[in-house]
Amino acid sequence: MKIAFVISIKIWGGVKTWMLEFGRALQERGHEVVFFSNDSKLTDEVLRSGSQAYTVRFGPDYSPISIAYFYRKFKRHGIDVTCMNIQKELRTAGIAAKMLKIPVVQRIGLPSDINFKLDQKLAQRYIVDEILVTCRWMKTETASNIPFTPEEKYTVVYNSKPVVCEPRAGKQDPVRFVITSRPVDGKGHEGLVEAFRRLSEMKVDRFVCDMYGEGELKSKLQALVNQYGLQDKIQLKGFSRQLNEKLKSYDFGVLTSNKEGLPNTVIEYMSMALPCITTRAGALPEVVEHEKNGLLFDYNDIETLTDYLKRCITMDDETYAKFSLESHRTIAEKFNLEKNVQALEAYFEEVIEKYRP
């Protein structure tokens, strides 16, 4: 197969990571994969992995220049199927694909990626052939809320990671927590800092927490950390591309978001056999089983979060090892990249056959 991944989002989020990792895996399975992105960092990353990539200026929606550009590139590479994310891509690359009778798969990360605006209804009717979602919750939520996208248009292929680490025998002292979601509104970082402040006041202070990512709340979080005197406990690390290696050095992964689909964050934690403390947002209960491979709480329930963090800090090694084993098993059996890239491969093949001129 010859597959084109197209993405116009500027920030580095879950969809870029998904496209990069699944694209690499498809390339390794013998398919030709071509990336189109307005982010030169992503382009450079793709080129380093041996795939083909173009840095693109998408221009205005429905731009004849952009449409002609994608038309030429898709035709030159003999693309069989395209996969893209949001309206900007559909209104340029999507139109070019339809002109060439190449099927268009829209990969959505949240139900809000599709709404009731007229141009989105038109895109769903005339441009998008199939919708790819990353979890059962996404399929049910989007199909029920957006009636002009019938449920049979959706296919689920789970976000996935390779199995990296073996289960862990015990935790460290001090216990090391990590959160890798971007520090922006709705991600709950302030509540996490508050929970650690409460633990410190209780003298339950055998912990450190590293926060990765860039966002508009980073300076506010640093001010809170300074105000509470937690500089030796909480470090804001900024953006990092080598998180896989760094995650090996932690004991627990944390996600405090109000709104999620099936985030790469938690799957990345579990690929390192880390138990997780996370909210019940979106599809997270499909990954984290309460009291088995992690602990679930409601967004902004700081009291429960504080209790769970305390429990993690004081947890004995035998209990910790059981949680770690279940995290490892969750990835190996359900969210395994090697298995699910085969599901994506079969899906693309079916789409190509279904829409073959």
Side-chain angles (χ1 to χ4, degrees):
M1 285 185 293
K2 296 181 179 180
I3 307 157
F5 286 107
V6 186
I7 183 163
S8 63
I9 298 173
K10 293 181 179 178
I11 62 170
W12 193 289
V15 66
K16 283 187 179 177
T17 301
W18 180 89
M19 284 188 174
L20 183 62
E21 293 182 343
F22 273 84
R24 282 173 173 167
L26 287 165
Q27 183 89 19
E28 289 171 0
R29 291 183 63 80
H31 303 289
E32 182 179 330
V33 180
V34 186
F35 282 79
F36 299 86
S37 171
N38 59 354
D39 183 354
S40 59
K41 292 185 230 178
L42 176 63
T43 302
D44 292 343
E45 193 79 22
V46 171
L47 291 172
R48 280 195 291 271
S49 71
S51 294
Q52 301 176 80
Y54 297 93
T55 302
V56 181
R57 292 184 64 182
F58 283 80
D61 290 348
Y62 310 110
S63 164
I65 296 173
S66 295
I67 294 169
Y69 171 85
F70 284 109
Y71 184 97
R72 290 193 302 270
K73 291 295 186 185
F74 291 167
K75 188 173 183 179
R76 175 186 165 191
H77 286 282
I79 297 299
D80 297 309
V81 63
T82 63
C83 182
M84 51 195 77
N85 180 222
I86 60 172
Q87 295 301 304
K88 173 67 72 175
E89 295 127 41
L90 295 176
R91 295 165 184 160
T92 50
I95 293 172
K98 296 305 290 183
M99 292 169 66
L100 290 164
K101 296 183 170 52
I102 300 169
V104 175
V105 174
Q106 183 179 13
R107 187 273 193 193
I108 66 171
L110 286 170
S112 57
D113 285 352
I114 303 174
N115 60 45
F116 280 89
K117 291 181 180 178
L118 177 60
D119 57 353
Q120 297 219 22
K121 290 182 180 180
L122 293 173
Q124 290 300 317
R125 181 171 181 178
Y126 295 110
I127 301 175
V128 177
D129 295 303
E130 301 286 334
I131 298 173
L132 180 63
V133 292
T134 58
C135 55
R136 295 192 307 274
W137 172 85
M138 187 91 61
K139 177 179 179 179
T140 302
E141 190 78 4
T142 312
S144 61
N145 291 340
I146 309 294
F148 56 85
T149 58
E151 190 167 348
E152 58 268 21
K153 201 171 184 176
Y154 293 80
T155 297
V156 176
V157 176
Y158 279 120
N159 274 5
S160 305
K161 295 290 177 183
V163 179
V164 178
C165 285
E166 292 301 312
R168 297 154 185 255
K171 56 189 178 57
Q172 302 168 80
D173 184 16
V175 176
R176 293 176 57 80
F177 296 92
V178 63
I179 180 168
T180 60
S181 57
R182 296 176 62 242
V184 297
D185 282 335
K187 292 295 186 179
H189 290 72
E190 303 103 311
L192 182 59
V193 173
E194 169 63 19
F196 280 125
R197 182 193 69 80
R198 295 183 185 187
L199 288 173
S200 190
E201 286 190 347
M202 296 177 203
K203 306 301 181 187
V204 183
D205 55 5
R206 300 296 298 170
F207 70 85
V208 294
C209 178
D210 289 338
M211 297 182 171
Y212 289 91
E214 295 290 343
E216 65 263 19
L217 294 184
K218 186 179 177 183
S219 59
K220 180 181 178 181
L221 290 173
Q222 188 62 65
L224 280 176
V225 169
N226 296 343
Q227 177 185 338
Y228 297 151
L230 295 173
Q231 298 93 323
D232 61 334
K233 300 292 184 185
I234 300 174
Q235 297 287 321
L236 276 70
K237 298 287 191 176
F239 179 76
S240 174
R241 289 193 186 282
Q242 281 74 45
L243 277 177
N244 279 351
E245 283 302 312
K246 292 176 180 174
L247 286 176
K248 293 177 182 178
S249 66
Y250 296 96
D251 300 300
F252 293 93
V254 183
L255 184 64
T256 50
S257 298
N258 181 36
K259 187 177 179 182
E260 291 287 351
L262 180 61
N264 273 310
T265 299
V266 166
I267 299 175
E268 285 172 346
Y269 296 156
M270 289 189 167
S271 73
M272 299 294 169
L274 298 182
C276 298
I277 306 98
T278 181
T279 60
R280 294 184 173 87
L284 282 164
E286 287 186 50
V287 192
V288 178
E289 296 183 66
H290 187 61
E291 299 287 356
K292 191 172 181 181
N293 57 17
L295 300 168
L296 292 167
F297 68 100
D298 293 325
Y299 174 72
N300 217 26
D301 182 355
I302 298 173
E303 183 175 350
T304 299
L305 174 58
T306 304
D307 288 344
Y308 285 169
L309 294 172
K310 178 181 179 182
R311 182 174 164 188
C312 292
I313 294 167
T314 58
M315 186 178 289
D316 63 80
D317 283 347
E318 182 180 357
T319 302
Y320 177 82
K322 290 178 181 178
F323 272 83
S324 179
L325 175 62
E326 289 302 326
S327 288
H328 180 273
R329 186 173 291 155
T330 298
I331 297 299
E333 295 179 357
K334 191 172 181 180
F335 301 96
N336 187 329
L337 180 61
E338 184 177 347
K339 292 180 180 179
N340 287 330
V341 76
Q342 294 179 46
L344 182 63
E345 177 184 54
Y347 168 67
F348 280 153
E349 288 172 346
E350 289 173 8
V351 169
I352 292 167
E353 186 60 32
K354 180 178 179 179
Y355 294 95
R356 192 181 300 279

